[in-house]
Amino acid sequence: MTSPDPAGPVNDVAEAHERHVPVMRDRCVELLAPALDRPGSIVVDATLGMGGHSEALLTACPQATLVGIDRDPQALELAGRRLTGFGDRVRLAHAVYDDIPQVLADLGIGKVDGVLMDLGVSSLQLDESDRGFAYAVDAPLDMRMDQTAGVSAADVLNTYAAPDLVRILRDYGEERFAKRIVSAIVRERTTRPFTTSARLVELVRDNVPAATRRTGGNPAKRTFQALRIEVNQELEVLQRAVPAAVDALAVGGRIAVLAYHSLEDRIVKRVFAEQVRSTTPPGLPVELEGHAPRMQLLTRGAEVPDEAEMAENPRAGSAKLRAVERLREAPAASAKDVVGYRRQRGGDAG
């Protein structure tokens, strides 16, 4: 973990404000605020980062208490200093965000009224040169959001079997030239293990067609994205975290999720679609009790930043925002209930 600024907390807070431009901040607040307009309301910022979204939510919703979660100890430290003025309205936890149920249980919290997830890599992690997330700077190939746990990107490159590396680059980076790049990685690592980012960037550049190098930005960006996702198990965590967050919501609670690439957005879209769909079997003339949608959409499809925000904050360019509100808590009726209804109506129970 990078050492704190020796100048102390004031400079750290100022640095967090200057370095972190929260993506679609005002729209996130607008979507979540109606659920937080009551005494005792609780909002979870499941990916706290440097606390920009949380600061805006706490300011706009003075009756709300924040539970901030992040796997990165340095982010928790900076965000904690940034949010110190809100006093006991802020409770922070060092955890991966799919652990929402345990975090809430440890705090003695049952249901919550709002959840925000801002996915992907944070500004802090991108900007710290020794973290290895950015392909534009030569740095150790780490890429762990929590540098106290797990395997690094170098470990992945140097120890994974070739077929696994190809799968990672194809599935997580959508890299068309995965086989060619992996062949070069496997060949190179036998003579000298990979330790820094510059060598990997050069290898990728040398193993994609010249036409690809001339368009679409740095050709290594897809490989770096794929490694980062693998190192932090981002998609597996997300597949657990979104349903867990949905389950934690009280009736009337809202969840907003910012995704930055299609793999993330697809998972969020699928979970939300399941929640807003009726589960009454097709052909029945009425909606069965317990089968009505559990949630309603608050956004029409995925919302994106406007041109002004994208011009001010280029990192917002790929953002997609989706949000839903919980309508009811009751579980869906069982198959036995459906059969019973059909028998009552004189239909075929088989």
Side-chain angles (χ1 to χ4, degrees):
M1 183 174 75
T2 302
S3 300
D5 187 326
V10 174
N11 282 355
D12 282 341
V13 174
E15 182 184 353
H17 279 84
E18 293 164 1
R19 290 168 57 185
H20 181 217
V21 181
V23 174
M24 300 182 76
R25 179 195 62 195
D26 294 344
R27 181 56 175 151
C28 288
V29 171
E30 180 183 10
L31 287 166
L32 294 174
L36 305 174
D37 187 23
R38 63 171 185 80
S41 59
I42 297 173
V43 60
V44 176
D45 187 340
T47 50
L48 183 65
M50 285 192 282
H53 286 106
S54 288
E55 181 181 46
L57 283 165
L58 288 165
T59 301
C61 308
Q63 300 186 89
T65 294
L66 172 85
V67 175
I69 300 172
D70 208 290
R71 67 169 78 181
D72 187 335
Q74 186 183 3
L76 281 172
E77 182 181 3
L78 286 173
R81 292 176 179 176
R82 181 175 190 166
L83 302 175
T84 189
F86 296 101
D88 60 6
R89 294 175 60 203
V90 175
R91 307 174 78 176
L92 304 183
H94 178 216
V96 183
Y97 66 101
D98 63 340
D99 208 20
I100 287 175
Q102 188 61 54
V103 170
L104 296 179
D106 290 345
L107 294 172
I109 296 171
K111 296 293 185 179
V112 302
D113 304 285
V115 178
L116 174 67
M117 293 181 180
D118 184 8
L119 306 178
V121 63
S122 73
S123 296
L124 168 66
Q125 291 153 351
L126 282 172
D127 293 341
E128 291 291 330
S129 60
D130 65 346
R131 303 293 291 271
F133 287 97
Y135 41 78
V137 179
D138 190 21
L141 276 169
D142 193 321
M143 298 194 195
R144 289 173 297 169
M145 293 178 181
D146 180 355
Q147 291 185 300
T148 68
V151 299
S152 69
D155 295 329
V156 172
L157 283 175
N158 293 322
T159 65
Y160 276 32
D164 291 329
L165 287 174
V166 171
R167 173 185 55 80
I168 289 165
L169 265 60
R170 280 182 174 167
D171 292 354
Y172 299 163
E174 300 176 292
E175 175 56 73
R176 290 180 296 159
F177 307 105
K179 277 191 173 182
R180 187 185 302 187
I181 293 169
V182 168
S183 293
I185 289 170
V186 171
R187 183 173 61 250
E188 289 286 322
R189 75 187 186 185
T190 59
T191 58
R192 182 163 58 100
F194 286 87
T195 57
T196 61
S197 55
R199 183 177 170 216
L200 178 60
V201 170
E202 182 180 1
L203 179 145
V204 173
R205 184 180 292 113
D206 290 345
N207 286 277
V208 299
T212 301
R213 297 197 298 268
R214 289 193 293 268
T215 60
N218 194 311
K221 66 182 180 181
R222 291 178 293 275
T223 295
F224 272 64
Q225 173 181 295
L227 288 172
R228 189 201 81 216
I229 290 173
E230 172 64 17
V231 165
N232 297 289
Q233 298 291 291
E234 292 178 36
L235 299 184
E236 291 87 346
V237 168
L238 182 60
Q239 286 170 339
R240 296 187 294 268
V242 180
V246 166
D247 289 344
L249 284 181
V251 173
R254 296 180 168 201
I255 176 172
V257 183
L258 280 161
Y260 294 88
H261 56 74
S262 60
L263 300 173
E264 293 174 338
D265 185 56
R266 204 173 299 145
I267 292 170
V268 177
K269 180 180 179 181
R270 184 180 68 247
V271 174
F272 285 0
E274 291 170 354
Q275 296 293 324
V276 303
R277 186 167 50 235
S278 169
T279 56
T280 295
L284 295 185
V286 296
E287 183 121 72
L288 293 180
E289 183 179 355
H291 279 264
R294 295 175 65 192
M295 313 196 88
Q296 67 176 352
L297 294 173
L298 298 174
T299 53
R300 189 170 182 175
E303 295 185 4
V304 298
D306 59 27
E307 292 184 5
E309 179 170 1
M310 287 190 282
E312 180 183 355
N313 181 15
R315 289 177 181 172
S318 59
K320 292 183 177 180
L321 174 63
R322 297 181 187 271
V324 291
E325 178 181 11
R326 177 176 287 288
L327 298 175
R328 66 179 184 88
E329 193 67 64
S334 67
K336 180 180 178 181
D337 296 331
V338 176
V339 171
Y341 177 85
R342 285 176 169 157
R343 282 175 174 161
Q344 290 173 23
R345 302 294 295 174
D348 182 5

